[in-house]
Amino acid sequence: MARLLTQLIPGTLMVMMLAGSSSADEGMWLFDHPPREQLKKNYNFDVTDAWMTHLMHSAVRFNSGGSGSFVSADGLVMTNHHVGAGALQKLSSAKRDLITTGFYARTREEELKCIDMELNVLVDISDVTAKVNAAVKPGMPAAEAQLARRAVMNTIEQESLKATGLRSDVVTLYQGGQYHLYRYKKYTDVRLVFAPEKEIAFFGGDPDNFEFPRYDLDITFFRAYENGAPAKIEHYLHWSAAGAADGDLVFVAGNPGHTDRLNTMAHLEFLRDRVLPDQLTRLRRREVLLRTYSEQSLENARRAQAELFGIENGRKANIGRLAGLQAPAIMAAKQKEESSRRALMGNITPDPWEAVATAIKINEKIYTDLGLLEYGGAFNSHLFSIARTLVRLGEESAKPNAERLREYRESNLDSLELQLFSAAPIYKDLETVKLSDSLGMLIEQKGADDPLVQKILAGQSPTERAAKLILDTTLADVALRKKLADGGKAAILASNDPMIQLARLVDEPARELRKIQEQQVDEPMHQAYARIAQAQFKALGTSAYPDATFTLRLAYGAVRGYEQQGQKIPPFTTIGGAFEHAAAHNNVPPFRLPSRWMESKSKLDLSVPMNFVSTADIIGGNSGSPVVNRAGELVGIIFDGNIQSLVLDFVYTSDMARAVSVHSSAIIEALRKVYDAGALADELQGHPGK
Amino acid sequence: MARLLTQLIPGTLMVMMLAGSSSADEGMWLFDHPPREQLKKNYNFDVTDAWMTHLMHSAVRFNSGGSGSFVSADGLVMTNHHVGAGALQKLSSAKRDLITTGFYARTREEELKCIDMELNVLVDISDVTAKVNAAVKPGMPAAEAQLARRAVMNTIEQESLKATGLRSDVVTLYQGGQYHLYRYKKYTDVRLVFAPEKEIAFFGGDPDNFEFPRYDLDITFFRAYENGAPAKIEHYLHWSAAGAADGDLVFVAGNPGHTDRLNTMAHLEFLRDRVLPDQLTRLRRREVLLRTYSEQSLENARRAQAELFGIENGRKANIGRLAGLQAPAIMAAKQKEESSRRALMGNITPDPWEAVATAIKINEKIYTDLGLLEYGGAFNSHLFSIARTLVRLGEESAKPNAERLREYRESNLDSLELQLFSAAPIYKDLETVKLSDSLGMLIEQKGADDPLVQKILAGQSPTERAAKLILDTTLADVALRKKLADGGKAAILASNDPMIQLARLVDEPARELRKIQEQQVDEPMHQAYARIAQAQFKALGTSAYPDATFTLRLAYGAVRGYEQQGQKIPPFTTIGGAFEHAAAHNNVPPFRLPSRWMESKSKLDLSVPMNFVSTADIIGGNSGSPVVNRAGELVGIIFDGNIQSLVLDFVYTSDMARAVSVHSSAIIEALRKVYDAGALADELQGHPGK
């Protein structure tokens, strides 16, 4: 997390959460079911509908995997630097490295239009559970049930889009206990306003990632446009005059990506024994690959930096998650929880815990091949992804909407095409290095004598094959991609682009694996978890929150320090602390402050709070979430969790787990005194303490 | 290689080499069987016995895994910086980082005594094949045969040591076709004389490793002492006045560690499918671990640097090896070679190729556990290695010499104790990080519910267990180690040191796995390969060289450039090229030249050759090997092979594969003009052109 980007995890692992009895400050609450009682009881805070609505409409989801918020009437959006890094990377070139130098548009004209960015603002939520359940008849075989559910969801979304013009997603909550339709207003004309240098945004680098105390200015500002002009925003967050203070009740509105809190033990063991070790092996492999590529030249380093950051972040997060599952104390607690739950619910026939375990056994069997072929592990190349999408788009768009793979449903095509036709730069040398390595991995994992592997390699070594594919494909040309997409299935079949032909070659076996996954693993697991959920609803009522699903949630907690190995960690750091931290590390990267900061030191009020921690319940995907006070004013922005927070994937604890935020005052101080960005600070403070 | 340190590979993979018809310049020849005919025919060079003897006695083996040579009458030894790096690391501290700063002793008094260094100089070779074969009776079951062979080898060595006082090793050549007794003079009082900065020794870092053109001054000088005074050396290499020139015939005398050229296809496939992927996964894991540790502070980076270099070097080498085995062209050539060999030999009963395949199937079954428990993969800690050695030393030394595990044989105890009682610094924080990670890997690979794993973890998480073990063990204290060793088995049994107890806990299962490996895998494979060798001797005669075994070999070839992707790569680079290479990379590490070089630029003759390539047949372990001309004069020092040379593990080729050396003239130029080390240069040039 410091770097709470969501890590999207294969569908199979999506499970629901039903915290029987939430600890204080626990929970990633639905916006239509806020924890009113807990807030009243623990903090004497009355949640009003108006307060919730304002916060919901002010919150922004970055479709690429993060959170943010509107912070001015003129469409200004604040998020983390590491959420915006992908956009900065796409706007950069050998001659302009915005991640390194930072950026500030002093006028609207200087704002840079982002490539393929999509922001989502949640407009309303409606319960469509009855409609979905009506389509899936009791007693249906799992395969049929899966098709029926997919069909009704695709249809509901398409009808909603037609009726409202809004992005419409059916979200599976409580893993099938409920289905909600989320409608979003979309912004795709988004422009870059301000970003600091990476050296201060990610000060301390990988060593300090997921650590506290911290001293990062992990922020970036964008502006949403409509019809060529800054969007006029009714609901945006007003800037707090003082920011967060020790002991304050604070709220976080963001999009936590995924949690596993109600996983059965068998499911947690699968994560521990297979999923996380496998993901870590692949992450480390890619980390080493991109590091060695990056070391070859400064330009290589620039090309790979955003991707490398994501990999390193994922590696550190997953090491923390795996360490949690390898800790006997945590597994014993989870076992106790499962035993109590089973005891409470009595016998359920057929036993859903058994059903989950059975589904996992099937999952285990196809796990490697599915990762290689369907999730693209063997084809670590952006150009391959484009080819795969074109091939499937041709095939799926020829089918009725209800029968399509979820990502090709009619209502999703705009978002899909925004990515597919992106003009983001593609570096063929980097593509070759990545594809070559992953083809090598394919041989290692499936065997050199496998007939499909031999067809994929076409008698060449991985290096030769990758070099030739990347050299010969024409898919780097956006116009050609569009032409192929417009030509539909016939154009794909007629194409002699070698990457298209490779994507076609692996499509059938990949689809076959996906079908097994969806029908023999995911569907039985959904049904089993739904039965556990229903039993728990009966036993305990519905006052609970579902596991995270990269949809908008409310978390809350107190600004509070903690004790670590007998040492008190205060909740705040200061701007002065950043300078001390750099000096303690000889100002050597990643502990070097940008020269702009060194030169501005005498102007800065070193006592201004820089970062702070709170007990709010967050996880990857919450990156960039606004932190607000009782008055709904912005007091900070989430950018990380400490190392102890990584187990929040499985279990909430407020002993030492903390969410880490940039303090609102540090943002103003830096904008005014380091970046000479008074106009931006004025825009933020337009309604001080309103 | 660039960084041709030997990678010692589990015993199972030791196989023999019998090149039926050597290509020109092919071969790692035994010193008692030099390739007289080839040298006469191809280069019109007559090998004399005196020439061979002089070179043999001038060559030095670094027992830690590299090569070197005597270069003065006063015991001066030249090797690579990366061979000496372990010694530099052990002599360094938070206040003195010899790897970074380099070192020069202007007087004998300033020379620094190395910790636990052992140099070996080959004194004579004798054939003991008949004696070994007499002990192993035909028809003996494999288990018995293995014990009998081990017994006779242990005994021969001990008798030789007693008789001569020389280090005595029975070396298995042609994988059992022959057994030779190698006797070495040992030097253990070795002192550091000169090392350049790592920035020039490893200029270009990992990106340039195994690449050419290169510009590295990869050298270090030690001095061997006897009785407190510089050793008086009869045979040492005289310095060539001009050094190597284009087209020259050159010779390399060094200790190639391991090759796999006569592996059966089944054996090569095992390397491709299991051994190399597994080693790479572990190397990448450790690379990421040490990189993240190193980034935390400059002192951390210093502590981990020598080990991290070894890991990165091994990773790059193994990627090259694996790429070779994944290239259809190479595997097809090897398959053709095997088919021809089988056709040539006719039917052999029982079929030795089958026997190798059968042994490999058993190997596969125990491969993971053996790596974790016996080879220490689960216990990545120096303190654990010490505990393991103490536990086994107690047990083995109570047995008759003939019955001991090979490394505890009487004749090896001095060398073993030099390491065991080493005063080299041990960093507890680094130990904890490494052990914690490897205990986590143990859980991943053997499963959290495995009874032995549970005993090893003792109810704690890997992090907790590792921290407690490293905190509580007393084995960092050399005096305590000696006391435990002196107390023998009884002292070990009575010890309550937790690391000793852990080593005892895993000893029995580890020994059990090793027994299976030695008796059911290695022994049948030795016998099978020996039968192939015998058949080939019959069919083709004995004019061949065995696979590498980290013993002294002679290679030869021409100084010659090559063509790569249509581009001519000249055989030489120059000192001036180093400055250009740095500038082309903005002088950013690892392409930054030391300030001493930048300041000396005007004094240097930029046209002096820096590095050069030749067609000599080398592999890991050859690092530091002297390169000599027809006159036996030193013209360079091997430090690397190019990327194309990595397949030399499996097959020799001189198309593009090249050995990379530092040119002798660059050494003198740098010593005199950059390092103000005229006295050292004078000592080297004491007999110019003699």
Side-chain angles (χ1 to χ4, degrees):
Chain A
M1 318 212 310
R3 320 307 158 162
L4 292 162
L5 286 173
T6 185
Q7 290 198 288
L8 293 174
I9 285 180
T12 174
L13 301 172
M14 290 290 173
V15 286
M16 57 123 233
M17 164 66 200
L18 278 172
S21 54
S22 314
S23 319
D25 303 353
E26 174 173 356
M28 299 171 176
W29 300 90
L30 296 171
F31 262 70
D32 51 353
H33 288 95
R36 294 179 197 275
E37 281 172 36
Q38 292 91 325
L39 285 167
K40 181 69 188 170
K41 189 179 139 208
N42 298 328
Y43 291 99
N44 193 29
F45 180 76
D46 289 304
V47 181
T48 68
D49 290 348
W51 191 94
M52 286 300 291
T53 303
H54 176 68
L55 186 56
M56 180 174 102
H57 288 290
S58 301
V60 173
R61 183 173 77 168
F62 280 70
N63 204 32
S64 54
S67 302
S69 58
F70 281 121
V71 286
S72 91
D74 291 327
L76 202 60
V77 175
M78 180 167 73
T79 186
N80 291 146
H81 182 271
H82 73 276
V83 170
L88 298 172
Q89 179 83 30
K90 289 171 188 171
L91 287 170
S92 294
S93 67
K95 287 178 185 158
R96 176 173 80 172
D97 180 2
L98 296 179
I99 292 184
T100 300
T101 62
F103 177 79
Y104 177 42
R106 295 192 174 273
T107 65
R108 296 278 156 90
E109 290 67 38
E110 287 173 21
E111 293 175 0
L112 298 175
K113 189 168 188 319
C114 296
I115 298 168
D116 71 39
M117 184 176 275
E118 177 183 328
L119 303 184
N120 300 143
V121 178
L122 184 57
V123 173
D124 63 49
I125 303 175
S126 56
D127 191 333
V128 293
T129 310
K131 201 165 178 179
V132 172
N133 284 346
V136 183
K137 311 291 179 203
M140 262 188 181
E144 227 175 289
Q146 185 259 326
L147 295 177
R149 176 177 292 111
R150 187 175 75 182
V152 70
M153 286 164 77
N154 285 4
T155 305
I156 290 171
E157 287 157 339
Q158 175 58 1
E159 286 169 356
S160 166
L161 173 63
K162 260 196 205 159
T164 63
L166 294 170
R167 173 179 174 137
S168 301
D169 299 345
V170 173
V171 180
T172 305
L173 298 170
Y174 307 101
Q175 200 68 3
Q178 295 187 5
Y179 294 87
H180 289 188
L181 177 63
Y182 278 53
R183 289 202 187 95
Y184 299 95
K185 183 168 171 56
K186 259 171 47 170
Y187 295 91
T188 53
D189 182 355
V190 182
R191 307 194 188 172
L192 176 63
V193 177
F194 172 86
E197 309 89 336
K198 185 186 174 189
E199 283 187 327
I200 186 65
F202 194 39
F203 179 56
D206 182 73
D208 271 7
N209 199 5
F210 300 101
E211 305 284 347
F212 193 80
R214 283 290 275 293
Y215 314 87
D216 288 8
L217 189 75
D218 193 354
I219 57 163
T220 290
F221 291 95
F222 294 97
R223 192 182 304 281
Y225 276 69
E226 279 188 303
N227 307 316
K232 288 298 158 198
I233 302 299
E234 187 191 343
H235 292 285
Y236 64 92
L237 300 176
H238 296 176
W239 208 265
S240 158
D246 197 358
D248 277 3
L249 169 65
V250 292
F251 302 87
V252 176
N255 301 275
H258 177 82
T259 49
D260 295 282
R261 293 187 187 170
L262 206 77
N263 278 19
T264 66
M265 288 305 288
H267 204 158
L268 288 177
E269 285 163 6
F270 181 55
L271 283 179
R272 179 193 65 191
D273 299 338
R274 189 71 185 268
V275 177
L276 289 172
D278 187 88
Q279 284 182 357
L280 276 165
T281 297
R282 193 167 302 175
L283 284 168
R284 290 187 183 108
R285 180 178 186 130
R286 292 186 176 178
E287 179 170 345
V288 168
L289 187 76
L290 291 192
R291 278 253 203 177
T292 52
Y293 170 82
S294 297
E295 277 193 348
Q296 288 168 27
S297 71
L298 293 177
E299 172 58 8
N300 278 17
R302 187 197 66 74
R303 290 179 181 192
Q305 63 186 334
E307 186 175 356
L308 181 54
F309 160 76
I311 289 168
E312 291 183 344
N313 188 55
R315 178 254 303 151
K316 203 162 178 181
N318 278 347
I319 284 177
R321 295 169 73 209
L322 182 55
L325 293 178
Q326 287 184 341
I330 287 182
M331 287 304 259
K334 294 299 293 186
Q335 178 63 63
K336 203 173 150 190
E337 194 182 305
E338 177 160 314
S339 302
S340 318
R341 188 174 290 123
R342 292 191 80 142
L344 189 74
M345 295 178 186
N347 276 341
I348 314 177
T349 315
D351 185 298
W353 284 273
E354 272 306 311
V356 170
T358 303
I360 283 168
K361 288 214 178 78
I362 297 170
N363 203 353
E364 273 171 359
K365 278 188 204 151
I366 60 168
Y367 189 77
T368 298
D369 284 356
L370 188 78
L372 288 169
L373 300 180
E374 174 63 16
Y375 301 145
F379 313 102
N380 183 17
S381 147
H382 192 54
L383 289 166
F384 176 85
S385 303
I386 289 167
R388 151 77 54 94
T389 304
L390 284 168
V391 167
R392 291 199 169 167
L393 182 62
E395 190 140 347
E396 295 296 308
S397 55
K399 297 177 187 169
N401 177 50
E403 292 170 23
R404 295 186 197 164
L405 294 176
R406 287 282 290 151
E407 63 271 33
Y408 297 94
R409 67 191 186 274
E410 203 61 39
S411 64
N412 192 52
L413 288 185
D414 275 357
S415 295
L416 183 137
E417 288 179 356
L418 185 68
Q419 301 304 316
L420 178 60
F421 303 138
S422 167
I426 295 174
Y427 301 103
K428 288 204 159 192
D429 64 326
L430 179 53
E431 286 279 295
T432 305
V433 163
K434 285 164 57 182
L435 183 57
S436 168
D437 176 71
S438 62
L439 289 175
M441 191 178 79
L442 171 71
I443 296 180
E444 292 168 35
Q445 298 195 352
K446 259 185 99 62
D449 300 330
D450 179 90
L452 180 61
V453 170
Q454 295 202 331
K455 278 188 212 156
I456 291 168
L457 271 300
Q460 297 174 299
S461 73
T463 316
E464 292 162 347
R465 179 71 167 136
K468 195 105 180 64
L469 280 165
I470 300 293
L471 186 71
D472 292 347
T473 182
T474 61
L475 298 180
D477 182 334
V478 177
L480 283 172
R481 278 180 231 163
K482 281 192 176 143
K483 211 175 141 190
L484 268 172
D486 290 344
K489 198 172 171 177
I492 296 296
L493 292 176
S495 168
N496 56 9
D497 187 286
M499 200 65 94
I500 291 283
Q501 290 177 336
L502 176 65
R504 285 184 53 208
L505 172 67
V506 297
D507 204 45
E508 197 48 44
R511 280 173 179 268
E512 201 49 48
L513 289 160
R514 175 167 172 169
K515 197 169 146 187
I516 297 171
Q517 179 71 25
E518 289 183 344
Q519 301 190 341
Q520 298 178 43
V521 180
D522 297 347
E523 182 62 31
M525 276 174 62
H526 287 184
Q527 294 185 7
Y529 276 117
R531 289 210 308 283
I532 296 176
Q534 295 306 337
Q536 181 152 329
F537 278 139
K538 266 187 212 159
L540 297 171
T542 59
S543 167
Y545 63 96
D547 254 322
T549 50
F550 195 46
T551 50
L552 193 65
R553 302 295 177 90
L554 181 73
Y556 65 92
V559 175
R560 195 160 79 217
Y562 55 105
E563 207 177 295
Q564 183 173 298
Q565 293 171 333
Q567 200 193 343
K568 275 200 191 300
I569 312 285
F572 290 94
T573 62
T574 63
I575 290 181
F579 288 94
E580 289 162 22
H581 196 54
H585 289 84
N586 306 289
N587 300 295
V588 170
F591 299 96
R592 186 175 66 191
L593 286 169
S595 50
R596 220 184 251 124
W597 279 71
M598 298 306 284
E599 289 154 13
S600 309
K601 187 177 175 187
S602 61
K603 284 185 277 175
L604 285 163
D605 177 351
L606 300 179
S607 70
V608 167
M610 185 83 181
N611 293 167
F612 69 95
V613 289
S614 68
T615 60
D617 190 357
I618 59 152
I619 201 100
N622 270 117
S623 275
S625 301
V627 184
V628 302
N629 59 17
R630 289 171 188 251
E633 297 164 338
L634 192 130
V635 297
I637 173 172
I638 295 285
F639 73 99
D640 204 2
N642 62 4
I643 281 279
Q644 292 87 353
S645 80
L646 290 169
V647 298
L648 295 190
D649 185 354
F650 314 110
V651 59
Y652 178 80
T653 157
S654 58
D655 284 355
M656 296 164 74
R658 291 293 181 275
V660 186
S661 304
V662 184
H663 194 275
S664 55
S665 300
I667 297 171
I668 297 299
E669 184 76 3
L671 288 178
R672 294 198 184 278
K673 299 189 183 165
V674 179
Y675 296 102
D676 187 22
L680 178 54
D682 287 344
E683 188 176 349
L684 295 172
Q685 293 186 304
H687 302 258
K690 178 196 163 178
Chain B
M1 320 202 314
R3 317 312 159 160
L4 292 161
L5 287 172
T6 185
Q7 290 197 290
L8 293 175
I9 286 179
T12 175
L13 300 172
M14 290 290 175
V15 287
M16 57 122 233
M17 164 66 202
L18 278 173
S21 55
S22 313
S23 317
D25 302 354
E26 174 173 356
M28 300 171 176
W29 300 90
L30 296 171
F31 261 69
D32 50 354
H33 287 96
R36 294 180 198 276
E37 282 173 35
Q38 293 90 324
L39 285 166
K40 181 68 187 170
K41 189 180 141 206
N42 297 328
Y43 291 100
N44 194 28
F45 180 75
D46 289 303
V47 181
T48 67
D49 289 349
W51 191 94
M52 286 300 290
T53 303
H54 176 69
L55 186 56
M56 179 174 102
H57 288 289
S58 301
V60 172
R61 183 173 77 168
F62 280 70
N63 204 32
S64 54
S67 301
S69 57
F70 281 121
V71 286
S72 91
D74 291 327
L76 202 60
V77 175
M78 180 166 74
T79 186
N80 290 146
H81 182 271
H82 74 276
V83 171
L88 298 173
Q89 179 83 29
K90 288 171 189 171
L91 287 170
S92 294
S93 67
K95 288 178 185 159
R96 176 172 81 172
D97 179 3
L98 297 178
I99 291 183
T100 299
T101 61
F103 177 80
Y104 177 42
R106 295 191 174 273
T107 65
R108 297 278 156 91
E109 290 68 37
E110 286 173 21
E111 294 176 1
L112 297 175
K113 190 168 189 318
C114 296
I115 298 168
D116 70 38
M117 183 176 276
E118 177 182 328
L119 304 184
N120 300 144
V121 179
L122 184 58
V123 173
D124 64 47
I125 303 176
S126 57
D127 191 334
V128 294
T129 309
K131 201 165 178 180
V132 171
N133 284 346
V136 183
K137 312 291 179 204
M140 262 187 182
E144 229 176 286
Q146 184 260 327
L147 295 176
R149 176 176 292 112
R150 186 175 74 182
V152 71
M153 287 165 76
N154 285 4
T155 305
I156 290 171
E157 288 158 339
Q158 174 60 1
E159 285 169 357
S160 166
L161 173 63
K162 258 196 205 159
T164 63
L166 294 170
R167 174 179 172 135
S168 301
D169 299 344
V170 173
V171 180
T172 305
L173 298 171
Y174 308 99
Q175 200 68 1
Q178 293 188 7
Y179 294 87
H180 288 189
L181 177 62
Y182 277 53
R183 289 202 188 95
Y184 299 95
K185 182 167 172 57
K186 260 172 47 169
Y187 296 90
T188 54
D189 182 354
V190 182
R191 307 195 187 171
L192 177 63
V193 176
F194 171 85
E197 310 87 337
K198 184 186 175 189
E199 282 187 328
I200 186 67
F202 194 40
F203 178 54
D206 182 73
D208 271 7
N209 199 5
F210 299 101
E211 306 284 347
F212 193 79
R214 284 289 276 292
Y215 314 87
D216 289 7
L217 189 75
D218 193 355
I219 55 162
T220 291
F221 290 95
F222 294 97
R223 191 183 304 280
Y225 276 70
E226 280 188 300
N227 307 316
K232 288 298 157 199
I233 303 299
E234 186 191 344
H235 292 286
Y236 63 93
L237 300 176
H238 296 177
W239 207 265
S240 159
D246 197 359
D248 277 4
L249 168 65
V250 291
F251 301 87
V252 176
N255 301 275
H258 177 83
T259 49
D260 294 283
R261 293 187 187 170
L262 206 75
N263 277 19
T264 66
M265 288 304 288
H267 204 158
L268 289 177
E269 285 163 5
F270 181 55
L271 282 180
R272 178 193 66 190
D273 298 339
R274 188 73 186 265
V275 177
L276 289 172
D278 186 88
Q279 284 182 358
L280 276 165
T281 298
R282 193 168 301 176
L283 284 168
R284 290 187 182 108
R285 180 178 186 130
R286 291 186 177 177
E287 178 170 346
V288 169
L289 187 76
L290 290 192
R291 278 254 202 176
T292 53
Y293 170 82
S294 297
E295 277 194 347
Q296 288 168 27
S297 71
L298 293 177
E299 171 58 9
N300 278 16
R302 187 196 65 74
R303 291 179 180 192
Q305 64 185 333
E307 186 175 356
L308 181 55
F309 160 76
I311 289 169
E312 291 183 344
N313 188 55
R315 179 254 305 152
K316 203 162 178 180
N318 278 347
I319 285 176
R321 295 168 73 209
L322 182 55
L325 294 178
Q326 287 183 341
I330 287 182
M331 287 304 258
K334 295 299 292 186
Q335 177 63 63
K336 203 174 151 189
E337 194 183 305
E338 177 160 315
S339 302
S340 319
R341 188 174 289 122
R342 294 191 78 143
L344 189 74
M345 295 176 185
N347 276 341
I348 315 177
T349 316
D351 186 298
W353 284 273
E354 272 306 309
V356 171
T358 304
I360 284 168
K361 287 216 178 75
I362 297 170
N363 204 352
E364 273 171 358
K365 279 188 204 152
I366 60 167
Y367 189 77
T368 298
D369 284 356
L370 189 77
L372 288 170
L373 300 181
E374 174 63 16
Y375 301 147
F379 312 102
N380 183 18
S381 147
H382 191 54
L383 289 166
F384 176 84
S385 303
I386 290 168
R388 151 77 55 94
T389 303
L390 284 168
V391 166
R392 291 199 168 167
L393 183 62
E395 190 140 346
E396 295 296 307
S397 56
K399 297 177 187 170
N401 177 50
E403 291 171 25
R404 295 186 196 164
L405 294 176
R406 287 283 290 150
E407 63 270 32
Y408 297 93
R409 68 191 186 273
E410 202 62 40
S411 64
N412 193 51
L413 289 186
D414 274 358
S415 294
L416 183 137
E417 288 178 357
L418 185 67
Q419 301 303 317
L420 179 60
F421 303 138
S422 167
I426 294 174
Y427 301 103
K428 288 205 159 192
D429 63 327
L430 179 54
E431 286 279 294
T432 305
V433 163
K434 286 164 57 183
L435 183 57
S436 167
D437 176 71
S438 62
L439 289 175
M441 191 179 77
L442 171 71
I443 296 180
E444 292 168 36
Q445 298 196 351
K446 260 186 96 61
D449 300 330
D450 178 271
L452 180 61
V453 170
Q454 295 203 331
K455 277 189 211 156
I456 291 168
L457 270 299
Q460 297 174 300
S461 73
T463 317
E464 291 163 348
R465 180 71 167 135
K468 194 107 180 63
L469 279 165
I470 300 294
L471 186 70
D472 292 347
T473 182
T474 60
L475 298 180
D477 182 334
V478 177
L480 283 172
R481 278 181 231 163
K482 282 192 175 142
K483 212 175 140 192
L484 267 171
D486 290 344
K489 197 171 171 176
I492 296 295
L493 291 177
S495 169
N496 56 11
D497 186 286
M499 199 66 94
I500 291 284
Q501 290 177 338
L502 175 64
R504 285 183 55 208
L505 172 68
V506 297
D507 205 46
E508 197 49 44
R511 280 174 179 268
E512 199 49 48
L513 289 160
R514 175 166 171 169
K515 197 169 147 188
I516 296 171
Q517 179 71 26
E518 289 183 344
Q519 301 191 341
Q520 298 178 43
V521 181
D522 296 347
E523 182 63 30
M525 276 174 61
H526 287 183
Q527 294 185 7
Y529 276 116
R531 288 210 310 282
I532 297 176
Q534 295 305 336
Q536 181 152 328
F537 279 138
K538 267 188 213 161
L540 297 172
T542 58
S543 168
Y545 62 97
D547 255 322
T549 49
F550 195 46
T551 50
L552 193 66
R553 301 296 177 89
L554 181 74
Y556 66 92
V559 175
R560 194 159 82 217
Y562 55 105
E563 207 176 295
Q564 183 174 298
Q565 293 171 336
Q567 199 193 343
K568 275 200 191 299
I569 313 286
F572 290 94
T573 62
T574 63
I575 289 180
F579 289 94
E580 289 162 22
H581 196 54
H585 289 84
N586 306 288
N587 300 293
V588 170
F591 299 96
R592 187 174 65 192
L593 286 168
S595 50
R596 219 185 251 125
W597 279 72
M598 297 306 285
E599 290 153 14
S600 309
K601 187 178 175 186
S602 62
K603 283 184 279 174
L604 285 162
D605 177 350
L606 299 178
S607 70
V608 166
M610 185 82 182
N611 293 167
F612 69 95
V613 288
S614 68
T615 60
D617 190 358
I618 59 151
I619 200 98
N622 269 117
S623 274
S625 299
V627 184
V628 302
N629 59 17
R630 289 169 187 254
E633 297 165 337
L634 193 130
V635 297
I637 172 172
I638 295 285
F639 74 98
D640 203 2
N642 63 3
I643 280 279
Q644 292 87 353
S645 79
L646 290 169
V647 298
L648 295 190
D649 185 355
F650 315 109
V651 60
Y652 178 80
T653 158
S654 59
D655 284 355
M656 297 164 73
R658 290 294 181 275
V660 186
S661 304
V662 184
H663 194 276
S664 54
S665 300
I667 297 170
I668 298 298
E669 184 76 2
L671 288 178
R672 294 199 184 277
K673 299 189 183 165
V674 179
Y675 296 103
D676 187 23
L680 178 55
D682 287 344
E683 187 176 350
L684 295 172
Q685 294 186 304
H687 302 258
K690 179 195 163 178

